[in-house]
Amino acid sequence: MPTLVIVGAQWGDEAKGKIVDVLAQDAEHVVRFSGGNNAGHTVIVGDQEFKFQLLPAGILHPDATAVLASGMVIDPKGLLDELDRTRAMKPELGTLRISGSAHVVFPYHRLLDELEEEARGHNKIGTTSRGIGPAYQDKVARIGIRMCELVCEKRFADRLKEVLAVKNRLLAMFGKPEIAFDQLFAEYSAYATRLRPFVQDTDWFVQEAVIRGDRVLFEGAQGTFLDLDHGTYPYVTSSHPVAAGACLGTGVGPRAIDSVLGVCKAYTTRVGSGPFPTELHDNIGEQIRQQGHEFGTVTGRSRRCGWLDLVALRQSARVNSMKGLILTRLDVLQDIPTLKVATAYELDGAEIPYLPADIEDFAKVAPVYKALPGWTENLRTVRKVEDLPKNVRDYVAFVEEFTNTPAAILSIGPDRAETIIVRPDLIW
Ligand code: IMP
C-alpha cells in the first residue's frame, strides 16, 4: 500500500504534525494538499520543537521530498521565514517542491480577512487572519495570482497591476488607503527570486511517483468539519481538508489512494466560532485545556474543549472513507474519573444519528452521552497496546465499535517515541 492520506477527523489541531512526522520516516514523498499558514503543526524531536505552518511536517526527513501542492495558498514571506527558521535548527532537510498552480497570499488578502471579519459583527467566523479566505475567493473568482506567475519576471508586474486595481477599489469601499504597486512589487519580486528554484509542475511529479509505486504520504491540514462543503458551514475554512481534497489538491484520481487514516483526539477541541455540542464550560473542560496545553499554535488562542463526539467522528469516518483511526492525546484524559462520549444528538425532541446540515439546527442539538470509566495511570511510558490500562483499552474499543473503524495508531504523548502502532497493516 504505497499511498496514504492523513486527515484531521475533527475541527483541526488533532496532532497531525506529530503523526505525519512519525509516518514520514517510511515515506519517499510528503505532499501537503490544502490550506495555507492557517495551519499549525508541532513536531517534537528530542529536545527540539519544530512549528510548521506551510511546510509539510515531512520536511524533517532529509531523504524525503516535501511538496506544497496545487490546492494550497502560499504566503511567500511566511514560507521563507519558516524555511530559514527550520534550516537554522536542522540544516539537513528534505527536498522542497512547490506547485506553480498554488495560489499566492498577498497583504491585501490578510487585510481583507480582517475587514470582512470586522464587518460580520457578532457573526464572526474567528478566522486566523492569515488571508486564507480572501486568497481562495480570488482563486474561485479567477483573478488569483499563482506561484508560476509570481516567479515569472515577464508576467508578474502585469498580473499584480491588474489585481491591485480591483483590490484598491475594494479597499476604498472599506474606507482604507490604496496599496502602492511599486513597494509591493519590489517586496514580492525579492521573494520570487528566492522561491523560483523550487517552483515546478508538482502534479506531474506526484503522478509519476504514484505510477512508480513510491510511498507517498498526503498530509492534510485543518479538519473534516472545517471543510468548505462537508464542515459546519459557515464556520469553516475555505478549502477541502477531507480526504477527497488530497485528489483535488494534488492532481491524482481517487483510485491512486490506497489508505486513509483519520487523526482524532481522545476528546474534542475547536478554535474560532461555531456550534460545538459537546463543549465543556466547567472544571473538566479547564482540566483538559491545561493538561493538553490547548492553546493555538498559530494564533495562541485558547482552544474550546469538550467530550469526544462520536456522532461527528462516525460521520467523519464516512466522509473520508477512513481505513483506520489514529487516536491521539489519550494521556491528556488521565485523572478524569468518568469520561463521556456523545453517541446521538437530540434535536427538537427527536434523536438523530448525524450532524444536521443547517447550522441553526446544529446549534440547537443536545448530545446524548454514554459514560465510560476513566483512568489514573500515566500512559506516556507505555509502548505496547496490551500494557495499557483496561479502561483505556475499553475506551478505544468503544470508539472503534461505534465508528466501525479500527484504531491503527494510538498516541500517548508529544514525542515520536510516545506512539503505539496497533495495526501496521492499515498504514502502508
Ligand atoms: P481561516 O482558515 O483562517 O479562514 O479560519 C476559518 C476557521 O477555521 C476558523 O474557525 C479557524 O479557527 C479555523 N482554522 C483554520 N485553520 C485551522 C487549524 O489549522 N486548526 C484549527 N482550526 C483552524
Side-chain angles (χ1 to χ4, degrees):
M1 285 195 286
T3 61
L4 168 65
V5 179
I6 299 293
V7 288
Q10 298 162 308
W11 278 273
D13 308 315
E14 298 94 349
K16 293 181 293 293
K18 172 201 155 160
I19 297 301
V20 170
D21 173 62
V22 169
L23 298 176
Q25 295 177 84
D26 298 320
E28 279 145 292
H29 316 286
V30 182
V31 186
R32 167 100 187 255
F33 58 83
S34 72
N37 58 355
N38 47 348
H41 293 170
T42 306
V43 179
I44 295 174
V45 187
D47 56 3
Q48 285 188 304
E49 184 174 274
F50 297 89
K51 286 192 186 295
F52 298 116
Q53 292 187 246
L54 284 159
L55 290 174
I59 190 90
L60 292 178
H61 299 273
D63 297 334
T65 316
V67 180
L68 304 188
S70 49
M72 290 187 69
V73 291
I74 298 173
D75 181 328
K77 180 176 185 320
L79 177 59
L80 288 165
D81 287 350
E82 202 175 313
L83 205 52
D84 292 342
R85 206 172 54 233
T86 311
R87 272 218 190 99
M89 290 172 71
K90 188 175 186 297
E92 287 278 284
L93 297 178
T95 310
L96 181 65
R97 293 172 181 263
I98 303 170
S99 170
S101 305
H103 281 246
V104 183
V105 177
F106 285 91
Y108 49 78
H109 292 128
R110 288 195 295 272
L111 193 55
L112 288 165
D113 199 350
E114 282 175 14
L115 293 170
E116 285 173 12
E117 276 283 83
E118 210 176 282
R120 284 185 195 112
H122 42 244
N123 287 328
K124 279 186 186 24
I125 293 168
T127 72
T128 58
S129 312
R130 296 294 189 271
I132 305 301
Y136 278 114
Q137 283 171 30
D138 279 6
K139 173 177 177 171
V140 175
R142 293 155 297 176
I143 59 160
I145 298 178
R146 303 200 294 170
M147 288 302 298
C148 57
E149 294 169 314
L150 173 76
V151 300
C152 175
E153 280 170 282
K154 279 197 207 125
R155 286 147 80 202
F156 180 47
D158 286 346
R159 285 298 340 271
L160 188 62
K161 269 185 202 145
E162 177 193 327
V163 178
L164 261 192
V166 178
K167 297 298 163 187
N168 279 333
R169 277 184 225 178
L170 207 52
L171 289 173
M173 281 166 58
F174 280 106
K176 294 290 167 193
E178 279 198 355
I179 292 178
F181 169 82
D182 290 344
Q183 206 183 333
L184 188 60
F185 179 68
E187 182 188 340
Y188 272 65
S189 296
Y191 301 146
T193 305
R194 286 195 60 197
L195 291 174
R196 194 167 289 118
F198 304 107
V199 177
Q200 54 202 259
D201 190 335
T202 61
D203 282 19
W204 177 258
F205 175 80
V206 177
Q207 289 158 5
E208 287 284 295
V210 169
I211 290 166
R212 271 197 308 272
D214 292 357
R215 281 190 175 190
V216 185
L217 194 163
F218 295 93
E219 174 178 341
Q222 287 84 44
T224 297
F225 297 106
L226 291 173
D227 186 275
L228 187 56
D229 285 311
H230 305 287
T232 49
Y233 191 91
Y235 300 102
V236 292
T237 190
S238 300
S239 63
H240 295 290
V242 295
C247 294
L248 287 175
T250 66
V252 300
R255 289 202 302 126
I257 307 297
D258 296 309
S259 184
V260 178
L261 299 179
V263 188
C264 171
K265 274 178 185 163
Y267 48 94
T268 309
T269 63
R270 177 163 202 175
V271 281
S273 322
F276 178 0
T278 61
E279 184 167 12
L280 287 165
H281 299 282
D282 58 8
N283 291 343
I284 296 181
E286 195 47 41
Q287 184 178 343
I288 294 176
R289 184 173 303 113
Q290 295 306 329
Q291 286 181 190
H293 309 291
E294 292 294 356
F295 300 92
T297 321
V298 178
T299 58
R301 287 181 292 181
S302 154
R303 293 183 187 138
R304 301 157 67 192
C305 300
W307 297 123
L308 181 59
D309 186 339
L310 290 181
V311 181
L313 187 59
R314 180 175 55 195
Q315 192 149 319
S316 182
R318 293 177 181 205
V319 168
N320 292 300
S321 294
M322 270 184 216
K323 201 165 211 169
L325 277 173
I326 300 178
L327 208 52
T328 65
R329 305 194 137 232
L330 278 159
D331 53 305
V332 172
L333 293 182
Q334 182 185 340
D335 291 328
I336 301 176
T338 302
L339 301 170
K340 291 184 186 172
V341 291
T343 53
Y345 295 148
E346 213 176 86
L347 175 65
D348 298 330
E351 265 193 26
I352 55 164
Y354 56 86
L355 268 74
D358 185 333
I359 199 74
E360 298 218 343
D361 284 342
F362 188 47
K364 280 196 295 188
V365 303
V368 177
Y369 285 118
K370 159 97 180 154
L372 297 163
W375 53 88
T376 52
E377 295 90 339
N378 180 342
L379 309 183
R380 294 186 60 177
T381 50
V382 179
R383 295 293 173 265
K384 287 189 204 145
V385 76
E386 55 273 24
D387 294 339
L388 285 168
K390 179 175 181 304
N391 288 357
V392 178
R393 282 183 279 130
D394 288 350
Y395 188 80
V396 174
F398 190 85
V399 174
E400 290 180 299
E401 194 183 335
F402 189 89
T403 58
N404 198 22
T405 314
I409 298 176
L410 304 177
S411 173
I412 36 122
D415 201 85
R416 274 181 188 169
E418 294 166 320
T419 311
I420 304 175
I421 309 280
V422 189
R423 291 280 307 268
D425 57 309
L426 297 177
I427 303 173
W428 291 106

